[in-house]
Amino acid sequence: MKNTKELGARIRDLRNRRGLTQAALARAAGVAADSIWRLEQGRVSPSFDTMIKIAAGLKVPVVALVHDEYDQADELATVIRSLPETHKQVAYAVLGTLHIQAAVQ
């Protein structure tokens, strides 16, 4: 498991990638906003229950918080699976187009 500073940096990175503020993540996770700040600063070590809530708020598996080898492709798949069906179809179309363009270049 990561130390508290590394874990905090990982949470901050995942939160920023989703365009969430600390307050927005706190609401999504059902935890206090100051808890997110303290975690991101590496000042506290979260309970497993809190990690589950934060992972759910970020829409990632808990392993994404603690494992350095967590793959962005896995993260992207998780995000796409959480989309409404109509948005999934748009995501598939965009990714398909990008794949074709990359193959041509």
Side-chain angles (χ1 to χ4, degrees), residues 47-73:
S47 68
F48 189 65
D49 184 55
T50 299
M51 289 180 63
I52 290 170
K53 289 177 180 180
I54 290 171
L58 291 167
K59 295 186 168 114
V60 298
V62 174
V63 70
L65 301 180
V66 296
H67 198 277
D68 288 333
E69 299 300 315
Y70 181 69
D71 189 331
Q72 285 184 347

